[in-house]
Amino acid sequence: MSSMILGARARPFLNPLSIAVIGASADEDKIGGRPIKYLRLAGYSGPIYPINPKRDAIHGLKCYPSITAVDDDIDLAIISVPAQEVLSAVESCVAKRVSGVLIFSSGFSEVDEAGRILQERIVQLASEGGVALLGPNCAGTFNTRAGLLATFSSGILDKPPQPGSISFVSQSGAFGINMLVLAGERDLGLSMCLTSGNQADVDVAEALAYMAQDPETEVIGVCIEGIPDFDRFLAAIELARRNRKPVIVLKLGRSEVGARAVASHTASIAGSDEVFDAILRQYSVCRAHSIEELLDIAYACSLRRHPPNDKLGIITVSGGVGILTADQASAAGLDVAELPAQPQAAIKALLPFAAAGNPVDVTAQITTQPALVEPMFEHMLAGGYGSSIALFTYLPRNRVLFEKMLFYFERVASRYPGHFFVICALTDSEMRTRLESMGYAVFDDPGRAVRAIRALVDFQKAFDLPSAVREAVVMLGAKSVRRGAVYDEFQAKKLLALAGIPGLPEELVSSVDQALGAAKRIGYPLVMKIVSPEIKHKSEIGGVLLDIKDTEQVRQGYETLLRRAADAAPNAEVRGVLMARQVKGGVETILGVFRDPVIGPIVMFGLGGVLVEILKDVTFRRAPISRDEAYRMIREVKGHALLQGVRGVPAADEDALIVALVKLSIFAASQIDSIESIDVNPFVVLPAGNGAFALDALIEVRSA
């Protein structure tokens, strides 16, 4: 799907040329009575057509008995009628050939099966008629520059959105409106907003793509519950990244309880939160965990200053607050490096009792020498910091005193336009506005400022990265996985080897003589394993024998494995005994694949062996992945230091591990219609130059 096609279907909901309101009412207390009032208050300049067969006029506008009775073309129709009347209303919109239909009405898939069936009929009707549909169960849209306020919510009347560069898209209508109200309280300038409701047709991704191409939008906040088309969602966020527009996502339904609530709210599937979190990292999207955090980051992005690096300088009038901020910054992964000796000496020369390392504690002395503001910042910037936080706590409450500093603040900001400056202080609205006009971000809590800076740094890096969107290409020589087939370990490793995931020499035998012959060909020491598709966890029944060193142990081992299998699983199909070369040393990891019902093929990496289920030190990506992404995956697990060599143990062959991860991801993406999951555990990574190998593997396939 091209970017233009992806974003185009949201256009009539965010920039309509004309609007009809089906179910319009003269009573402003009713849902059907509000859109016309709000549109006129917002200054919408296009034609508005009230549709109500019982009225001649509404709010001074001529009223029509039906939408088909309007002679002019209609771009957007807003439907505000009971659920049982929506189908008929959509039929008339299709007949009128409107571009888009926005449905306020609820009582569809979010309620019961009958509602779901009705919703499907409505969507089919609109689709066949070439009409884009937003909702149902939708709270509407707005566009500050188009004078569009197409909603029934009264929450934004006290303080209507002011023009700016931040756009929002929210699946939840009330949540989205609440977010707008809070943005208004903080005087954030907004561009447009769309709430998608049940997402029966036009969804969050369509709106996100439109905003990504909107010249007035510079940052996009997204609130989602479920994603009906994940490929479309990824295409939209990739489009935003290419256009250097930060995307901040707040996902509802993180917990099991929340996921159940999502299902009942909009009939959406929330999907695995842990996986979703990893996918956002893969596609360079910032995840917020509260409305406050989303608004903080959107606000910081809207100031149009992005830190060139992750180094943070801290200037403070309070040693304690400075230490707290340094701790928070370090925990967020920012570099709170100490100032070089020369600027430290310069600071000491100006203020002998200052702590000049980083944080730079200028104490309350700066209140009596406000001219120190400028040189303190200058010396701080000599350390190469991409961002600076100035901690002034409650000082702005003394307006006369703080006014004396403003001249120097302005000089600093104008001299360093490429630097991201933050002032953390308790300010009133007027003082905040003055500081922001100079180019400063203003926060009252340094912890919130640190989180915003972390996001800005990540966005700046992401804008320069290659696309994370990759096409799946089947490996030459790889074989297709058959749906309904049952693969044992031996067969699974053969399939994976053809796809580029290497294993060690091994043979499947069905007699003692065959076992002895295989041992001679492979060489000692050996591993012997029972092979049965019904016995998936062989170690639990003693189905794995290590350190087989001679023919007598081969004979005894063969009989022991068959006996243990018969005792533990008497009805299992035993296909033989696997004879494999044994390796010692190396780092045991796990490579995995599974099919997420929402996101699609997911590749997993982590520390392997029997501890994986206990430690859960794993990370995920959507398949397929690049070498760079595989490298980042390896760095994300807490135990990655084991691969770099510790206590005399040589570094592992990380390059071989990267190759295997990439090839497994490509194989998984190309076979996702057949595969349910792949488990390669352990996948041992030998010392550098010696490779990495699958020691065990399990492939679960989808039913035929």
Side-chain angles (χ1 to χ4, degrees), residues 18-42:
S18 58
I19 301 174
V21 181
I22 300 175
S25 172
D27 186 346
E28 295 176 1
D29 290 332
K30 292 183 177 180
I31 289 178
R34 297 173 190 170
I36 294 175
K37 174 186 177 181
Y38 296 173
L39 287 168
R40 299 181 80 176
L41 284 174

Side-chain angles (χ1 to χ4, degrees), residues 337-344 347 356-358 360 379-385:
E338 186 172 358
L339 266 174
Q342 186 172 347
Q344 281 201 50
I347 289 172
N358 188 23
V360 173
H379 295 314
M380 171 65 73
L381 293 177
Y385 302 101

Side-chain angles (χ1 to χ4, degrees), residues 105-299:
S105 316
S106 59
F108 296 91
S109 64
E110 82 281 3
V111 174
D112 54 26
E113 181 65 12
R116 184 190 65 79
I117 293 172
L118 177 58
Q119 178 174 300
E120 288 183 353
R121 290 179 62 194
I122 291 168
V123 172
Q124 182 179 0
L125 176 64
S127 177
E128 291 173 351
V131 176
L133 186 149
L134 182 62
N137 188 29
C138 167
T141 65
F142 83 77
N143 183 333
T144 54
R145 291 178 177 83
L148 177 71
L149 199 53
T151 181
F152 58 83
S153 174
S154 60
I156 54 180
L157 278 187
D158 290 341
K159 197 169 186 179
Q162 298 303 305
S165 62
I166 302 172
S167 288
F168 289 115
V169 54
S170 173
Q171 184 176 352
S172 169
F175 196 99
I177 297 298
N178 183 58
M179 197 157 55
L180 298 180
V181 172
L182 292 174
E185 291 296 319
R186 295 177 58 165
D187 295 319
L188 298 183
L190 305 178
S191 179
M192 58 182 65
C193 175
L194 178 146
T195 63
S196 60
N198 288 7
Q199 304 195 113
D201 181 24
V202 173
D203 63 0
V204 164
E206 295 267 12
L208 201 163
Y210 184 84
M211 294 168 183
Q213 299 168 92
D214 170 43
E216 303 296 339
T217 296
E218 296 185 3
V219 54
I220 306 168
V222 183
C223 175
I224 52 177
E225 301 174 32
I227 302 174
D229 187 328
F230 213 84
D231 285 326
R232 188 160 60 203
F233 177 70
L234 293 181
I237 59 178
E238 173 59 21
L239 177 60
R241 188 196 67 82
R242 287 205 309 268
N243 291 340
R244 306 184 75 84
K245 297 188 180 184
V247 176
I248 309 135
V249 168
L250 177 61
K251 182 179 182 292
L252 310 184
R254 296 176 61 197
S255 65
E256 183 179 343
V257 174
R260 287 200 303 270
V262 164
S264 64
H265 182 212
T266 56
S268 300
I269 301 174
S272 166
D273 187 73
E274 191 175 19
V275 171
F276 184 80
D277 195 61
I279 303 308
L280 292 185
R281 290 197 300 275
Q282 179 180 357
Y283 284 83
S284 306
V285 174
C286 176
R287 182 170 188 180
H289 294 91
S290 67
I291 297 176
E292 178 183 71
E293 186 177 6
L294 188 153
L295 294 177
D296 282 345
I297 297 170
Y299 158 67

Side-chain angles (χ1 to χ4, degrees), residues 79 137 231 258 328 390 400 463 490 513 526 610 632 642 695:
I79 296 179
N137 188 29
D231 285 326
Q328 292 171 325
V400 174
F463 292 154
F490 183 64
D513 288 342
L526 289 164
V610 296
R632 283 191 285 272
L642 294 174
L695 301 188

Side-chain angles (χ1 to χ4, degrees), residues 444-663:
D444 55 12
D445 178 357
R448 290 166 58 188
V450 163
R451 289 191 292 272
I453 291 170
R454 175 73 265 175
L456 288 176
V457 169
D458 291 340
F459 281 131
Q460 191 64 22
K461 290 179 180 178
F463 292 154
D464 298 325
L465 289 175
S467 171
V469 178
R470 299 176 61 82
E471 297 295 329
V473 179
V474 180
M475 297 289 297
L476 292 176
K479 290 186 176 180
S480 296
V481 175
R482 303 188 314 276
R483 291 186 69 157
V486 178
Y487 295 97
D488 57 40
E489 176 191 343
F490 183 64
Q491 294 169 324
K493 285 195 282 190
K494 270 193 167 184
L495 277 173
L496 293 173
L498 290 172
I501 298 92
L504 293 166
E506 60 183 25
E507 295 183 29
L508 181 64
V509 300
S510 56
S511 69
V512 171
D513 288 342
Q514 289 180 5
L516 292 170
K520 185 176 181 180
R521 288 185 292 273
I522 296 170
Y524 297 100
L526 289 164
V527 178
M528 298 178 68
K529 304 181 190 180
I530 198 71
V531 176
S532 170
E534 282 87 17
I535 303 175
K536 297 175 181 177
H537 301 288
K538 296 178 283 291
S539 60
E540 294 179 3
I541 69 159
V544 179
L545 302 177
L546 304 175
D547 293 316
I548 303 300
K549 298 176 181 176
D550 55 41
T551 57
E552 184 57 31
Q553 288 185 345
V554 170
R555 293 178 187 275
Q556 293 178 2
Y558 187 89
E559 300 298 336
T560 297
L561 290 174
L562 291 182
R563 183 178 65 255
R564 288 176 178 175
D567 291 343
N571 297 321
E573 175 195 358
V574 176
R575 295 180 176 177
V577 171
L578 189 64
M579 312 288 292
R581 177 181 296 169
Q582 180 170 329
V583 294
K584 293 188 177 181
V587 179
E588 288 191 354
T589 66
I590 179 172
L591 314 185
V593 169
F594 63 92
R595 185 177 61 88
D596 186 281
V598 175
I599 301 173
I602 302 299
V603 62
M604 178 187 74
F605 169 74
L607 291 181
V610 296
L611 295 178
V612 65
E613 294 181 6
I614 299 172
L615 298 179
K616 300 187 188 306
D617 188 14
V618 295
T619 189
F620 306 93
R621 291 295 188 275
R622 190 176 194 261
I625 61 173
S626 65
R627 286 181 59 92
D628 289 343
E629 203 62 52
Y631 178 84
R632 283 191 285 272
M633 286 183 75
I634 294 167
R635 288 296 183 276
E636 280 182 10
V637 300
K638 297 181 180 68
H640 81 270
L642 294 174
L643 293 164
Q644 298 174 320
V646 291
R647 294 189 176 183
V649 177
D653 197 335
E654 195 168 305
D655 190 63
L657 173 60
I658 289 172
V659 170
L661 264 172
V662 170
K663 291 186 175 181

Side-chain angles (χ1 to χ4, degrees), residues 376-441:
M376 288 299 172
F377 269 113
E378 288 179 343
H379 295 314
M380 171 65 73
L381 293 177
Y385 302 101
S387 308
S388 297
I389 292 182
L391 305 169
F392 284 91
T393 61
Y394 54 84
L395 291 186
R397 294 295 174 90
N398 186 331
R399 196 171 188 86
V400 174
L401 185 153
F402 202 70
E403 286 276 359
K404 297 177 182 178
M405 299 182 182
L406 291 180
F407 170 77
Y408 302 103
F409 283 135
E410 187 166 15
R411 282 173 57 92
V412 168
S414 62
R415 289 180 61 186
Y416 301 96
H419 192 81
F420 187 74
F421 292 103
V422 178
I423 289 181
C424 285
L426 301 177
T427 63
D428 57 27
S429 178
E430 181 186 349
M431 183 62 71
R432 170 187 288 270
T433 299
R434 291 176 67 183
L435 289 168
E436 288 171 346
S437 68
M438 299 175 190
Y440 290 88

